[in-house]
Amino acid sequence: MSVKVIVGAQWGDEGKGKIVDLLSEDVDVVARYQGGANAGHTVVVGDKTYVLHLIPSGILHPNVVCVIGNGVVLDPQAFLDEVAFLESLNIKVRGRLFISHNAHLIMPYHKLIDSLKEQGASKIGTTGRGIGPAYIDKFARVGVKIVDLLHRDVLVKKIRSNIEDKNLLLSKIYNSSEINVDEIVEKYLQFDKQLDEFITDTSLYLSGAIRSGKKILAEGAQGAMLDVDFGTYPYVTSSNPTSGGACTGLGIPPTAVKSVAGVAKAYTTRVGNGPFPTELLDETGDMLRKIGGEYGATTGRPRRCGWLDLFSLKYSVMVNGIEEVALTKLDVLDDFDEIKVCVGYKYKDKQLKSFPLDLCTIEDIEPVYDTLPGWKARISSSTSYEALPSNCRSYVEYIERYLEAPVKIVSVGATRAQTIFR
């Protein structure tokens, strides 16, 4: 029995797709436990680049079964488009990809409300994919679950009731046109026919896999610092990307989780609004963005870039119980004469002892930096840790000492081959 949870340890976009793809070679099941089509997991195999949004990153390995858990909010059209994309590349999907019957559906009104809210002054910086409004309905106990597609009367009743409320909101608050109930009902009944072969009781399936000793990877979306409970609220996602979300998002017991690995970039990025203590609004930030190709896989938005924030990363290690780290995009730092790392925060001239969760404090903190020498050499062709320049190894080992967690994987490029296992 072995469940390993893979979490993004920063604000997302850490390169989880590559790491999950690599680790999937030796597992039986990869299960996605939260988020929606706002995620973008990029996997490079040879000369082909695959961008996945809902389907777990293990799908590129033909012997791996992939699961989309109940904690995910599913956009049916986005899912079907992704299936078609993979099948067009001759990747077998059917028969080894399953969706929880208990997952909630993203409805057209969720996307509409999401985009309208983002036009206001207090926008969060979401992808506009309807994720937040879908989770709102889930926790307001008015959400539409996949299992509801089996019962037309229940589906019609739920959608009709929801749209009455949403139309009032759209017309009175957002001055937007109302939504047609019958069109949505018919559209989603058609989705039911197309989704049917993928739907199963995934909690039951995973329970059986655990009992039979199969190796399972639980894959999160976004990053721990975007967690709705432990992130920089309110500039967060609407679910729990932290390791604890794996249990509730898949219906597996905590006792089944045997290890947690965190994926972190060798620097820090963030998409959307919200505090970012080490953000660089200068040529150095532009350089990180250009060299690292820091543009969102889902939206194409330029990512905000800054030095590695070890203070927030150590908080993430604590909250998630991270026992080992996969460090990605180390090669992006090849050209820097010196590299800074944030080792603490000051607030009103006082050193903080822990990561602040109140917005007023974190928006007014001053990062405390340590400066390390760069290595000024190309590392993308390195195949062993010993082959890395001395200053590069020192950088990795500095991170390990600060986090008190070993860096077990070092990524020096986008492809599978550009990976060093320690």
Side-chain angles (χ1 to χ4, degrees):
M1 178 176 74
S2 176
V3 177
K4 186 184 189 77
V5 181
I6 309 295
V7 299
Q10 297 162 306
W11 277 282
D13 310 306
E14 302 94 347
K16 294 182 295 298
K18 173 181 175 174
I19 302 304
V20 172
D21 169 70
L22 284 167
L23 297 178
S24 296
E25 188 173 359
D26 298 317
V27 305
D28 303 294
V29 181
V30 179
R32 167 83 176 273
Y33 61 84
Q34 49 75 226
N38 55 342
H41 293 174
T42 303
V43 180
V44 179
V45 182
D47 60 351
K48 291 184 178 179
T49 298
Y50 304 86
V51 180
L52 303 169
H53 301 281
L54 281 165
I55 297 175
S57 302
I59 197 69
L60 302 180
H61 293 273
N63 297 320
V64 172
V65 173
C66 290
V67 168
I68 296 175
N70 57 277
V72 174
V73 286
L74 189 91
D75 180 336
Q77 190 60 63
F79 172 78
L80 293 169
D81 288 346
E82 205 163 316
V83 168
F85 163 71
L86 290 170
E87 289 183 333
S88 73
L89 299 172
N90 297 315
I91 295 171
K92 184 179 182 296
V93 173
R94 298 170 197 272
R96 65 184 190 96
L97 173 61
F98 303 107
I99 306 170
S100 171
H101 67 309
N102 211 24
H104 280 246
L105 290 165
I106 292 178
M107 309 298 289
Y109 46 80
H110 293 142
K111 295 180 183 179
L112 180 56
I113 291 170
D114 202 5
S115 62
L116 289 170
K117 283 177 71 69
E118 283 298 295
Q119 293 173 18
S122 58
K123 61 183 179 181
I124 300 295
T126 75
T127 59
R129 299 297 199 273
I131 312 299
Y135 277 115
I136 288 172
D137 278 3
K138 175 178 179 175
F139 290 104
R141 296 168 292 181
V142 296
V144 178
K145 298 202 291 186
I146 286 177
V147 72
D148 294 331
L149 297 176
L150 299 175
H151 310 284
R152 183 187 178 99
D153 291 344
V154 172
L155 180 67
V156 171
K157 184 178 179 180
K158 273 194 171 185
I159 292 178
R160 195 172 296 282
S161 175
N162 282 346
I163 287 182
E164 284 178 5
D165 289 340
K166 301 300 188 278
N167 276 338
L168 189 63
L169 177 70
L170 290 168
S171 61
K172 301 297 183 184
I173 304 299
Y174 294 112
N175 196 30
S176 177
S177 57
E178 297 185 352
I179 299 168
N180 186 291
V181 178
D182 295 326
E183 285 181 7
I184 292 179
V185 170
E186 289 308 314
K187 185 176 182 179
Y188 275 70
L189 287 174
Q190 288 301 312
F191 280 143
D192 178 42
K193 296 175 184 177
Q194 296 170 284
L195 294 174
D196 186 62
E197 65 180 295
F198 300 101
I199 308 304
T200 192
D201 185 339
T202 55
S203 297
L204 183 64
Y205 171 79
L206 290 171
S207 177
I210 290 168
R211 286 199 310 274
S212 63
K214 292 187 182 298
K215 294 181 180 180
I216 300 168
L217 273 184
E219 176 189 28
Q222 290 88 37
M225 301 307 295
L226 292 175
D227 187 276
V228 70
D229 288 300
F230 297 102
T232 49
Y233 190 89
Y235 298 98
V236 293
T237 194
S238 300
S239 57
N240 294 109
T242 42
S243 58
C247 295
T248 53
L250 294 173
I252 59 173
T255 50
V257 177
K258 298 305 177 186
S259 63
V260 180
V263 185
K265 274 178 186 167
Y267 51 101
T268 310
T269 64
R270 178 166 193 162
V271 171
N273 299 333
F276 184 175
T278 64
E279 183 173 13
L280 296 169
L281 301 172
D282 56 14
E283 291 182 2
T284 303
D286 292 340
M287 188 174 174
L288 284 170
R289 185 179 303 108
K290 182 179 179 181
I291 298 172
E294 295 297 349
Y295 298 90
T298 299
T299 63
R301 289 183 295 178
R303 295 177 184 138
R304 301 156 64 190
C305 297
W307 295 122
L308 179 60
D309 187 341
L310 284 176
F311 193 68
S312 67
L313 192 52
K314 190 159 188 175
Y315 165 74
S316 182
V317 168
M318 177 191 75
V319 169
N320 289 287
I322 291 170
E323 300 160 305
E324 59 187 70
V325 175
L327 190 66
T328 63
K329 289 201 164 185
L330 187 59
D331 56 301
V332 173
L333 301 179
D334 284 352
D335 293 325
F336 291 89
D337 294 314
E338 60 181 30
I339 301 164
K340 291 186 178 182
V341 289
C342 173
V343 294
Y345 290 172
K346 276 187 178 180
Y347 178 67
K348 295 183 177 178
D349 294 326
K350 290 184 178 180
Q351 193 94 8
L352 296 182
K353 294 181 179 179
S354 60
F355 187 84
L357 287 179
D358 64 295
L359 200 60
C360 292
T361 298
I362 194 172
E363 286 186 331
D364 197 31
I365 65 98
E366 176 188 348
V368 178
Y369 288 110
D370 201 354
T371 303
L372 303 176
W375 46 91
K376 301 292 288 184
R378 293 282 173 263
I379 64 171
S380 58
S381 60
S382 299
T383 56
S384 70
Y385 185 69
E386 292 70 25
L388 294 173
S390 174
N391 285 349
C392 185
R393 296 197 307 272
S394 295
Y395 185 71
V396 173
E397 289 156 20
Y398 184 102
I399 292 169
E400 285 184 313
R401 288 193 300 272
Y402 187 95
L403 297 180
E404 299 179 283
V407 175
K408 290 290 187 72
I409 299 174
V410 178
S411 174
V412 295
T415 69
R416 286 173 173 171
Q418 292 173 301
T419 310
I420 297 168
F421 290 87
R422 296 176 68 206

